[in-house]
Amino acid sequence: MKTLSKLLVANRGEIALRVMRTARKMGLSTVAVYSDADATAPHVRFADEAVRLGPAPSAESYLNQAAILRAAKLTGADCLHPGYGFLSENPDFAQAVHDAGLTFIGPKPAAIRAMGLKREAKALVGARGVPLVPGFDGGDQSTATLEKKALELGLPVIFKPSAGGGGKGMKIARSQDELKDAIESGRREAQNAFGDPTLIIEKYLERPRHLEIQLLGDEHGSVVHLFERECSIQRRHQKVVEETPSMALTAESRAKMGAAAVEVAKAIGYTNAGTVEFIMDSDGRFYFSEMNTRLQVEHRVTELVVGVDLVELQIRIARGEHLPFKQEDLKQKGHAVQVRLYAEDPANGFLPSVGPVHDFHVHPVGGLLVDSGVESGGEVSMHYDPMAAKLIAWGEDRHDSASRMVRALQGLSVQGVTTNRGFLARLLRHPDYVAGKLHTGFIDEKMKDALAEPVDAERSMLCAIAATLAQHLTRRAADPFLPGVVTGFRNNRFSDQFADYESGQHVEYRALGDGKFLVNGAPWKVIAWDAPALTLESPEGLRQHVRVVAADGKQFVHSRLGSEVLKEKARFPAPVDAAVKGGFMAPMPGKVVKVLVKDGESVKSGQTLLVLEAMKMEQTTRSPADGVVKKVLVREGDQVTAGQILVVMEE
Ligand code: ADP
């Protein structure tokens, strides 16, 4: 058996963290690698040591094999985990890691190679009697041959890049006149994305389910499966929600699919963790689709239901240990579901959203696991995958895990970038999701009208009130000269202040002291404000937690009813001179340098009433509206204290 003591994780974000946590638990020291975009990222801070790879683009950093191997040498790492994506399924890299004298935590390069091309993989698997989707994987790639083969198979068909992955470059043709286009654009995309234009053709199954089997093989010839995961909820052929057990399987079909997957692994002498993917038609027949020779994003649901740590098992297998269990020892307990939190806008074609993350806050929910690569103050970079985090919930049964997940999504505050948070919560509550009527076209077919967050007047007003009061409290806290003064603002003591938002909300409020406010005529109370956490009590007496972050001139609010981004309408004059009736008070201690009005004088909106000098700066008090001065209470040269009334207007 090998001793492994220092693990380098050739990856970033949540998966780098997730792998390092297990390594640390097992007593290994950890090495992170990073690009310039990630110099202060959570995975870098977590690791015992970290090494820069290069500039932000993946090609110069996380795909830079030479730089990764240099980092391993520099730190004396004796093993390397590739995570998923990046170099995880590159057999040449696995070989180079091996040649550098390190242990690659994954399968042998030959196994990665055998499964790397869909064409070769299907031939190999088909020869072992595992069912394949009817298709054409032959050598002649001329457009004429591909068209002919597609017609022979019968439309619709799907063209896939043989070297492909991640759902990229797949083209569906439903009619004869779509064939040429599908082939040519598919070929171009295959060449661009994978450097290989070879296409395979498959009969396109309507409304199939995606099921896959988790495998583990040790270096002594034992292979077991850890049951299925269902990943039918996809957008653009990419998984969004994953769960286990699947409602589509019976004990019998589960055993059959598991055995087929084990057969595939044995065919190539597979070791370490891997996954065999199948698609299942509406009659319950399943066909081999591909094998992923690495850990998968959705591996956590299997961990929760089977009660294992797959990364730990990967490391043990790489050390040369025997699998600690036999097939008959493994059982599924309860149900687990994972959602991928993407920084993207479902209402806008799932377009990725990049930028700073002002708030990332997880509400505690029993049975919930969160793997996140982002944190408050971090960012979602344009250079990498827009998956920000994954949330995984375990429950006694499917209903239980889904309820926990919905609760977790409701409580999750992610501010700054647009995410699919609300969309995921709507999806998990869709009656057909609840009923388990899943297929890979679910999002396109069933969620068309639920892509955008529905308008909710109550949420919109609650968020506007929270934003306004939080802003008020922030201003107060920032003003060192007003500690003892009644919470009012600036030079206005007696009348209402307001905030108008571009989304239409109007909030008029008066601070009554002691955290009490009159808001649009109703009594609200601030129970606690520890930015960004605000506890508010509504006029009906409902206490609730809200989160409010101000950034980029906007207020990002998360409430029990959902999130809103608010922007205050520009006002003129500036806030310090904002609409007042009644009195003006001195905002801070100072000296009256000019009094420009007399008792009884009519003034126009914007007219200067008096000028104060405070902190070596002049402060101009202007009338916000046309009106009449009732009384001027100070004279030029007077020293005034903070909160002292200077001028009173006619009501
Ligand atoms: P990739 O390697 O790009 O992930 P896969 O072969 O795993 O590609 O397929 C990804 C997804 O594409 C599947 O989960 C399924 O939704 C869809 N798909 C693939 N093949 C077919 C098919 N023959 N019929 C219908 N849908 C398919």
Side-chain angles (χ1 to χ4, degrees), residues 118 133 158 160 164-168 170 202-206 208 210 231 234 237 277 279 289-290 440:
K118 286 189 202 299
V133 188
I158 181 166
K160 301 183 184 180
K168 281 200 201 93
M170 299 199 297
E202 282 178 8
K203 180 128 189 77
Y204 184 70
L205 305 177
E206 298 286 356
H210 174 117
C231 319
Q234 307 179 342
H237 303 299
E277 300 190 334
I279 51 177
S289 158
E290 65 165 346
T440 59

Side-chain angles (χ1 to χ4, degrees), residues 15 37 124 213 217 295 350 456 490 508 535 546 612 634 639:
I15 188 60
L124 196 143
I213 298 283
L295 192 69
F350 297 95
D456 175 347
R490 302 295 176 175
E508 219 165 295
T535 307
V546 185
L612 278 181
V634 292
Q639 287 291 334

Side-chain angles (χ1 to χ4, degrees), residues 382-651:
M382 58 172 286
H383 294 287
Y384 315 112
D385 192 272
M387 192 180 85
K390 50 193 212 220
L391 276 64
I392 313 99
W394 183 90
E396 295 291 338
D397 54 28
R398 189 170 184 268
H399 176 78
D400 187 20
S401 61
S403 316
R404 288 166 193 261
M405 184 61 82
V406 169
R407 179 71 202 104
L409 287 166
Q410 287 167 340
L412 178 71
S413 167
V414 195
Q415 306 301 344
V417 288
T418 306
T419 71
N420 61 348
R421 184 197 63 83
F423 172 75
L424 290 168
R426 290 192 290 283
L427 198 157
L428 293 193
R429 282 178 303 193
H430 190 288
D432 285 349
Y433 179 85
V434 173
K437 293 186 197 151
L438 312 185
H439 61 82
T440 59
F442 188 97
I443 289 181
D444 292 336
E445 267 181 39
K446 304 282 169 75
M447 297 300 291
K448 275 198 304 284
D449 302 325
L451 294 172
E453 184 87 33
V455 177
D456 175 347
E458 191 188 348
R459 178 189 68 226
S460 137
M461 203 58 213
L462 172 64
C463 290
I465 290 171
T468 307
L469 298 184
Q471 221 179 347
H472 173 87
L473 295 167
T474 306
R475 264 196 316 262
R476 285 263 319 147
D479 193 338
F481 294 100
L482 281 173
V485 179
V486 175
T487 54
F489 99 105
R490 302 295 176 175
N491 43 8
N492 161 27
R493 181 166 198 152
F494 299 119
S495 38
D496 290 355
Q497 302 162 44
F498 70 90
D500 268 318
Y501 295 97
E502 286 182 353
S503 34
Q505 303 92 328
H506 173 76
V507 181
E508 219 165 295
Y509 70 103
R510 182 183 301 173
L512 304 171
D514 229 7
K516 292 188 185 126
F517 292 85
L518 199 62
V519 182
N520 292 347
W524 286 74
K525 199 166 174 194
V526 171
I527 305 296
W529 168 235
D530 179 9
L534 178 70
T535 307
L536 273 183
E537 191 175 289
S538 74
E540 301 77 32
L542 177 66
R543 274 193 194 182
Q544 52 205 302
H545 301 294
V546 185
R547 296 179 70 81
V548 186
V549 185
D552 306 335
K554 292 178 205 142
Q555 305 275 327
F556 296 87
V557 188
H558 184 73
S559 72
R560 67 179 217 286
L561 302 173
S563 291
E564 295 269 338
V565 181
L566 296 145
K567 189 166 180 357
E568 231 185 304
K569 279 188 193 162
R571 30 170 131 174
F572 186 80
V576 78
D577 306 315
V580 279
K581 296 177 274 173
F584 295 91
M585 68 182 182
M588 53 184 78
K591 189 171 128 190
V592 179
V593 293
K594 265 193 190 103
V595 176
L596 298 157
V597 291
K598 299 187 296 287
D599 295 357
E601 184 175 334
S602 295
V603 295
K604 291 252 173 291
S605 166
Q607 184 175 337
T608 303
L609 305 178
L610 48 80
V611 181
L612 278 181
E613 189 190 89
M615 295 179 78
K616 301 202 174 77
M617 277 169 20
E618 289 202 346
Q619 292 266 337
T620 306
T621 300
R622 292 196 187 90
S623 177
D626 296 351
V628 177
V629 176
K630 189 169 177 190
K631 191 146 191 60
V632 181
L633 300 167
V634 292
R635 279 186 308 232
E636 286 182 12
D638 281 0
Q639 287 291 334
V640 295
T641 56
Q644 183 175 336
I645 312 289
L646 308 171
V647 179
V648 182
M649 304 291 289
E650 300 273 6
E651 287 292 323

